[in-house]
Amino acid sequence: MIPPEKRRLTLSVERFALKNPFVISRGAKTEAVVVVATIAQGALAGRGECTPYARYGESVESVAAAIESIRAEIESGADRFALQQLLPAGAARNALDCALWDLEAKLCGLPAYQIAGLSRIAPCVTAFTLSVGTPDEMAQAARSAAERPVLKVKLAGEGDAARLAAVRAGAPDSELIVDANEAWRPENLDENFAACAAAGVSLVEQPLPAGADDALAGRRWPVAVCADESVHDREGLAALRTRYDLVNIKLDKTGGLTEALALADEAERLGFGLFVGCMVASSLAMAPALLLTGRARFVDLDGPLLLAQDRPHGLRFDGSTVFPPESALWG
């Protein structure tokens, strides 16, 4: 019996310029900086992309160091399930987990969605994100995107009611979801939720800081509430049930597709709706998350639409409809 060929792990840091500055309550960025893990075995290779996120104490250097710390295990054949014990949830594990999914699909000659037990990946509609700005700036951005069916509106706290009114005026027919990125406070919840209801908003994402969201508990808010920064993986999920209606599943938070699928199962069991989200990154980061979209009430995988130029073999978009990946990209 011929032993399997030894694996080879390589890392690269890649930068993608954005079409426009991406602004949220915590700051602005003009490029997406990602770490790509490639795991080769023989002539085949699997890739995974992650976005280190300072909000979670991550940097390119820390993510690369975390991956390097288990190089020996990965190159010796550790699989996706062993990986869950080797690294905690986060960007580093995500890059490796998605690379292992991709490699497994190529070695088996099966698409990743079949390995995950799915019959297909259907095209889906993604939200399109509007950055934080003045009401006039956001109204103009909304007018420019008014043909898109779902807009995700970034908010910043003070002045959000005016921002919402301006966006609604600019895009009267789009479904709106908003993301406060932890910028609201308990004392202005009622005012801000009322402004959302007046603008016909369907969902409010992470209004309060993670770990300081007790004020959401036990209230029936006029708009559905989704946890983002407050949920990473299955740990602690049950405790959020009285505060949130949905959970935002991002592979960079869960540490890859393996935990994301398990989180989706547990969230549905507990009665949460699902939101599939992303960091600002290329199509390589979005592709694995498409395996979750058939179960989601909302999808926000617009990262490639925000880039000046995506990577080769990127996802195909028709307006806001995103299609399954080619095998040359992932899976």
Side-chain angles (χ1 to χ4, degrees):
M1 183 175 179
I2 300 175
E5 296 185 69
K6 182 176 173 60
R7 288 181 183 165
R8 304 178 307 281
L9 169 65
T10 58
L11 297 181
S12 61
V13 178
E14 302 180 16
R15 297 176 180 271
F16 295 87
L18 304 187
K19 290 178 183 175
N20 301 294
F22 184 77
V23 186
I24 67 172
S25 63
R26 285 189 287 270
K29 62 194 301 184
T30 58
E31 64 177 358
V33 183
V34 304
V35 176
V36 176
T38 302
I39 303 173
Q41 187 169 323
L44 301 175
R47 298 184 301 166
E49 176 181 318
C50 72
T51 303
Y53 199 39
R55 167 65 179 81
Y56 303 136
E58 296 172 336
S59 66
V60 168
E61 294 76 17
S62 71
V63 165
I67 294 173
E68 288 290 353
S69 74
I70 61 166
R71 172 182 289 276
E73 290 88 343
I74 295 299
E75 293 190 335
S76 296
D79 63 13
R80 293 185 286 109
F81 304 102
L83 176 63
Q84 309 307 303
Q85 307 306 315
L86 293 172
L87 286 178
R93 194 174 78 187
N94 178 35
L96 289 172
D97 183 74
C98 291
L100 288 169
W101 273 94
D102 191 23
L103 179 62
E104 183 178 347
K106 289 176 169 61
L107 290 171
C108 293
L110 294 172
Y113 68 81
Q114 287 189 12
I115 296 172
L118 303 176
S119 60
R120 64 190 288 259
I121 302 175
C124 62
V125 173
T126 178
F128 182 78
T129 304
L130 303 183
S131 289
V132 172
T134 66
D136 286 346
E137 290 169 340
M138 296 186 75
Q140 178 57 47
R143 285 192 291 271
S144 297
E147 79 287 354
R148 295 186 181 275
V150 184
L151 297 179
K152 178 173 176 176
V153 183
K154 291 289 189 177
L155 298 177
E158 184 70 27
D160 281 347
R163 293 185 180 97
L164 281 170
V167 169
R168 175 49 80 200
D173 299 323
S174 300
E175 183 172 19
L176 299 184
I177 57 180
V178 305
D179 186 1
N181 282 119
E182 306 178 282
W184 293 358
R185 295 296 177 263
E187 57 270 21
N188 60 32
L189 280 178
D190 289 310
E191 173 188 351
N192 285 330
F193 270 106
C196 288
V201 169
S202 298
L203 180 81
V204 174
E205 193 179 345
Q206 197 66 44
L208 296 176
D213 52 5
D214 291 351
L216 295 172
R219 292 279 304 274
R220 183 176 294 277
W221 301 100
V223 178
V225 190
C226 179
D228 182 4
E229 286 87 350
S230 287
V231 59
H232 291 247
D233 53 16
R234 286 168 288 174
E235 185 177 354
L237 182 61
L240 301 178
R241 190 65 193 91
T242 61
R243 304 174 199 178
Y244 297 100
D245 304 298
L246 297 89
V247 294
N248 186 336
I249 301 177
K250 294 178 180 174
L251 272 59
D252 276 314
K253 293 190 303 175
T254 65
L257 179 60
T258 302
E259 174 62 22
L261 291 166
L263 173 59
D265 289 342
E266 181 65 6
E268 289 179 326
R269 187 187 73 80
L270 291 170
F272 290 101
L274 302 185
F275 182 125
V276 177
C278 68
M279 304 301 187
V280 182
S282 85
S283 283
L284 180 57
M286 310 298 127
L290 286 168
L291 273 66
L292 294 156
T293 56
R295 308 162 66 171
R297 169 64 179 87
F298 293 101
V299 173
D300 175 26
L301 296 178
D302 66 342
L305 297 176
L306 306 178
L307 304 180
Q309 183 174 342
D310 196 5
R311 67 172 65 250
H313 308 291
L315 293 170
R316 180 166 72 91
F317 288 85
D318 181 2
S320 291
T321 299
V322 55
F323 291 82
E326 301 176 9
S327 61
L329 175 67
W330 184 88

